[in-house]
Amino acid sequence: MLSNVAKSIGQRNLFGILQQNGFASEATFETRAFKLHNIEEGPSTKVTLTKEDALKYYGQMYMIRRMETAAGNLYKEKVIRGFCHLYSGQEACAVGMRAAMRPEDSCITAYRCHGWTYLMGVSPVAVLAELTGRSSGCARGKGGSMHMYGKNFYGGNGIVGAQVPLGVGIGFAAKYNGTKGACIALYGDGAANQGQLFEVYNMAKLWNTPCIFVCENNGYGMGTSAERASANTNYYTRGDFVPGIWVDGMDVLAVREATRFALEHTSSGKGPILMETATYRYSGHSMSDPGTSYRSRDEIAEVRQTRDPITSLREKILTTELASVEELKEIEGKIRAEVDTATKVARADKEIAVEELTADIYANPENLTAVRNTVPHAELQHKRLGQAVNL
């Protein structure tokens, strides 16, 4: 029997659970082994999770899932037009990386960016309203699905792979300005064969740029499997002299630990590092892709049942008694209500006036005075209405 004093100060049991007054406040887990390239030692597979962080990560992943579900429904109703790429299934990648980031770190990603935008400080209303092209969107409705921005978040980029050289530039700026920050530059397995990636692997290593290259390998580049598109599917090894780490991208704790390790590596002056997160997307490549012509419904269902990042974290939380079912249901209910309210605003809000369409193209209005119109000799005026987010 434990003494009353021992109980009051907390004791760690055989399962790695730290209990405080009979309730778990911290638990320890083993992640899948990390695979390493050109580096002798990687992150620890033994990870600790506090109750506070557990509920935070669960809430963030659940919020992204609900937002993407709402976005999908709005698209089917033709309230959202144009391109729309959903992140459902990949939530652990973004949430795990964000958990490890410091205030001085930056991020840039491709067009599957709704979740990242939320994690970088943009409200669900501003994300969904941007998708519907309304004035309360984070880019005033002018960016849409692929072009969202926030503090230290450089988008949302529509050109395949083009965000990666920009990410190296952001990392170079951090080094040049002495901020001690690093830039996380994300891309998918479909973009991994772009020549510009190999160019900036080389440049980043030459200059020891504080940049973390992250290949979110969800198994398919549009409708082509990684095995059919790449001679080398070990994407974490593709940086040659750049060290690499493979991580289970469906485990938010594994991604967090790998990112912490990567940030410490690159911020200590050792240069860039490459991370491959093995993940999976439940939806098609975009809303125009049903996602079942190149893979079976059974495959999708199996991943949902056995590897879903939200369900997996929920099971960890409940098994170790970090929280009760009632606590998780309360979080879920609040998030559902918030997303429902945000969806109503995104539907009803007004669009910007035509005159604002050509505003804030350049941070310095002197760089552009007139903007070409759809008809000749009828230029539109360029003006500045708001401060550039990351200027």
Side-chain angles (χ1 to χ4, degrees):
M1 294 289 292
L2 293 173
S3 69
N4 290 333
V5 174
K7 288 180 181 178
S8 66
I9 62 174
Q11 289 290 326
R12 191 176 300 276
N13 66 20
L14 293 176
F15 299 99
I17 303 171
L18 184 66
Q19 292 187 321
Q20 187 75 29
N21 297 326
F23 296 96
S25 59
E26 182 182 295
T28 303
F29 303 94
E30 280 285 332
T31 69
R32 291 179 64 184
F34 300 97
K35 300 176 186 176
L36 307 177
H37 166 72
N38 201 22
I39 192 169
E40 293 183 0
E41 187 175 346
S44 172
T45 56
K46 187 176 181 179
V47 298
T48 300
L49 179 65
T50 64
K51 175 173 181 172
E52 180 182 2
D53 285 343
L55 297 182
K56 179 182 178 182
Y57 304 159
Y58 184 79
Q60 288 175 330
M61 288 198 290
Y62 194 82
M63 173 64 83
I64 294 172
R65 183 72 60 86
R66 294 297 300 186
M67 282 172 50
E68 295 294 57
T69 300
N73 292 335
L74 288 168
Y75 193 95
K76 292 170 185 174
E77 296 169 22
K78 298 185 179 179
V79 179
I80 296 174
R81 301 297 186 111
F83 293 103
C84 186
H85 305 81
L86 304 182
Y87 202 62
S88 301
Q90 300 183 209
E91 296 90 349
C93 297
V95 172
M97 283 181 255
R98 185 69 182 99
M101 289 174 68
R102 306 156 302 182
E104 62 270 25
D105 296 323
S106 300
C107 174
I108 188 168
T109 188
Y111 36 74
R112 210 176 297 279
C113 67
H114 313 155
W116 264 109
T117 307
Y118 161 70
L119 292 174
M120 294 302 287
V122 177
S123 69
V125 172
V127 173
L128 291 171
E130 187 60 38
L131 284 165
T132 59
R134 308 306 166 102
S135 60
S136 53
C138 58
R140 300 285 290 167
K142 296 191 290 184
S145 174
M146 298 194 288
H147 303 101
M148 300 182 183
Y149 309 94
K151 180 64 177 174
N152 286 351
F153 180 60
Y154 294 83
N157 291 268
I159 300 174
V160 176
Q163 72 277 6
V164 183
L166 298 179
V168 174
I170 295 165
F172 182 81
K175 181 178 181 180
Y176 186 84
N177 292 322
T179 67
K180 300 187 184 301
C183 182
I184 297 176
L186 299 106
Y187 57 97
D189 54 287
N193 296 321
Q194 288 277 320
Q196 57 190 324
L197 268 70
F198 294 90
E199 292 183 51
V200 291
Y201 290 161
N202 181 59
M203 293 168 71
K205 184 57 182 173
L206 277 174
W207 301 335
N208 275 339
T209 305
C211 182
I212 301 173
F213 299 104
V214 180
C215 177
E216 291 183 288
N217 179 7
N218 61 26
Y220 300 92
M222 296 186 72
T224 306
S225 68
E227 290 74 19
R228 291 181 60 210
S230 301
N232 177 11
T233 56
N234 294 317
Y235 296 101
Y236 70 101
T237 69
R238 285 182 160 206
D240 195 9
F241 283 97
V242 177
I245 306 173
W246 178 95
V247 56
D248 179 4
M250 304 299 268
D251 182 349
V252 66
L253 302 181
V255 176
R256 184 192 67 180
E257 294 308 303
T259 308
R260 283 177 176 172
F261 179 88
L263 283 169
E264 183 179 347
H265 172 95
T266 194
S267 298
S268 63
K270 296 177 182 177
I273 192 166
L274 199 162
M275 228 166 74
E276 176 187 349
T277 60
T279 185
Y280 197 83
R281 59 168 163 81
Y282 295 147
S283 303
H285 171 72
S286 68
M287 289 301 296
S288 60
D289 168 25
T292 53
S293 60
Y294 48 87
R295 58 182 181 174
S296 67
R297 295 182 188 275
D298 290 342
E299 177 185 308
I300 302 169
E302 182 182 359
V303 176
R304 280 186 179 273
Q305 293 168 7
T306 61
R307 296 174 55 207
D308 183 80
I310 299 175
T311 303
S312 297
L313 181 60
R314 181 186 176 89
E315 290 175 355
K316 285 185 173 74
I317 291 171
L318 294 177
T319 301
T320 55
E321 297 182 339
L322 284 170
S324 66
V325 173
E326 289 72 25
E327 286 178 280
L328 296 183
K329 284 184 176 179
E330 182 181 0
I331 291 171
E332 293 165 5
K334 288 179 179 178
I335 289 172
R336 284 196 299 269
E338 184 176 358
V339 173
D340 289 346
T341 301
T343 303
K344 292 177 182 177
V345 173
R347 287 177 181 275
D349 193 27
K350 66 182 186 303
E351 298 178 354
I352 60 173
V354 174
E355 294 74 24
E356 193 180 333
L357 286 175
T358 55
D360 296 327
I361 297 173
Y362 278 79
N364 183 357
E366 295 178 1
N367 291 333
L368 184 69
T369 56
V371 180
R372 186 178 64 185
N373 202 342
T374 55
V375 294
H377 311 298
E379 286 84 3
L380 299 170
Q381 182 184 2
H382 177 250
K383 53 188 175 182
R384 181 172 180 175
L385 298 178
Q387 176 76 18
V389 175
N390 287 302
L391 190 64

